[in-house]
Amino acid sequence: MTVTGTQASSDSGPVQIIRTSRLAAAILCGLVLGGAAGASIAWALSPQPTRDDLAGVAADLLPPGREVHDVETLGIDASGLGPTEVRGRVDPQLAIEANADGPTDAGIIGELFQRAQAADFSDVLLRRGMPAPGHVALVGERDGLAFELRDGRLDIAPLVGWPVVAATVGGAVGLALLAGFRSAHRQRRGRSRGMARLLTAGSWAILPIMAVCTASLPFFLGPGRSAADLGDYGSFVLELAVGLWAPVAILVGLIAWVMFGRRVGPGQTLGGPAGLPR
């Protein structure tokens, strides 16, 4: 089939959109999947807190007469992947919230600050409003671990280290470059009509969620912050892309299949010498 100059001119815009969307989808998909894989691998190889670590923090931080019971190890993210935290119940309970608006050098708050400083904890402070308004907790760091002490609970979690950040960024950049190169190379070779429609529909199906995951990536790159606050990028991508976007992606892909399928007629290729203009 011969493509006339008029057809080429009228179709060049939509075809360019198709080519650009496929390249963008490949790059973003590589960036997101590479970053997620790098983060998950780095966390899997990183040491995680233990019950003994929690016992050590409790012994140094809690006033005499108080102990930690019902200790459990939990995944920070709902998927169960990524870093873990160790949590225990403080008995008898403290009264941090009742004293939160008063001076921090008196009462139970003052005693906790003194014990934390004597035990070489750093960045010890009262944190208000997280995870809920009105919530008050004493937080601090030591030996690669962050603690959070509430009235009746003590949590410890690992800090985000530079290996996690480097693995996340390295995986994201590396796979994005590879995916972009392969997409550009394969588009130059051309595709059959059916394969072109399939790839275009798939690209439009994943573009929105990949864009959201890409915009969210910097939030997880916080060296020195608690993993309990940031979470794991790999778990975030898994939960968002698979758990939330999968049904929507089918609908978006079907719309793209119908919209852009008409741009490539029977027997034509997209992007190659015999296809529509590049």
Side-chain angles (χ1 to χ4, degrees), residues 158-239:
L159 297 175
V160 178
W162 282 108
V164 174
V165 176
T168 305
V169 174
V173 173
L175 198 56
L177 291 175
L178 177 61
F181 172 79
R182 286 181 59 85
S183 176
H185 177 69
R186 288 179 177 272
Q187 289 196 55
R188 285 194 295 267
R189 294 171 53 187
R191 291 287 185 180
S192 65
R193 176 176 180 269
M195 183 57 68
R197 292 185 70 182
L198 181 63
L199 290 175
T200 302
S203 298
W204 279 73
I206 66 173
L207 260 175
I209 193 63
M210 292 299 107
V212 171
C213 290
T214 299
S216 303
L217 176 58
F219 173 81
F220 295 88
L221 305 179
R225 295 184 60 185
S226 172
D229 296 332
L230 298 186
D232 171 36
Y233 186 66
S235 300
F236 168 76
V237 170
L238 181 64
E239 295 170 8

Side-chain angles (χ1 to χ4, degrees), residues 14-251:
V15 170
Q16 185 60 40
I17 292 176
I18 292 174
R19 291 175 56 82
T20 302
S21 66
R22 281 164 51 179
L23 179 61
I27 293 174
L28 291 183
C29 189
L31 191 150
V32 170
L33 295 182
S40 296
I41 293 173
W43 276 122
L45 298 177
S46 301
Q48 299 300 308
T50 65
R51 293 169 179 255
D52 291 338
D53 293 327
L54 182 66
V57 171
D60 292 337
L61 188 62
L62 297 180
R66 286 181 168 85
E67 299 179 349
V68 175
H69 302 285
D70 302 332
V71 178
E72 54 184 345
T73 301
L74 305 169
I76 288 176
D77 299 289
S79 65
L81 304 175
T84 59
E85 62 180 339
V86 182
R87 175 181 302 170
R89 176 174 56 85
V90 177
D91 185 32
Q93 288 192 10
L94 298 167
I96 297 179
E97 291 190 24
N99 295 273
D101 295 328
T104 57
D105 59 350
I108 189 65
I109 299 298
E111 182 178 357
L112 290 174
F113 268 98
Q114 292 175 4
R115 294 181 65 86
Q117 293 171 356
D120 294 326
F121 288 99
S122 61
D123 296 326
V124 181
L125 52 88
L126 283 177
R127 185 169 62 180
R128 297 174 171 85
M130 292 183 63
H135 170 73
V136 179
L138 184 72
V139 299
E141 304 170 0
R142 186 180 68 177
D143 298 333
L145 294 176
F147 77 83
E148 180 183 80
L149 176 62
R150 307 183 191 179
D151 291 348
R153 200 176 84 183
L154 176 63
D155 295 17
I156 60 171
L159 297 175
V160 178
W162 282 108
V164 174
V165 176
T168 305
V169 174
V173 173
L175 198 56
L177 291 175
L178 177 61
F181 172 79
R182 286 181 59 85
S183 176
H185 177 69
R186 288 179 177 272
Q187 289 196 55
R188 285 194 295 267
R189 294 171 53 187
R191 291 287 185 180
S192 65
R193 176 176 180 269
M195 183 57 68
R197 292 185 70 182
L198 181 63
L199 290 175
T200 302
S203 298
W204 279 73
I206 66 173
L207 260 175
I209 193 63
M210 292 299 107
V212 171
C213 290
T214 299
S216 303
L217 176 58
F219 173 81
F220 295 88
L221 305 179
R225 295 184 60 185
S226 172
D229 296 332
L230 298 186
D232 171 36
Y233 186 66
S235 300
F236 168 76
V237 170
L238 181 64
E239 295 170 8
L240 188 63
V242 177
L244 176 64
W245 186 251
V248 183
I250 297 175
L251 177 61

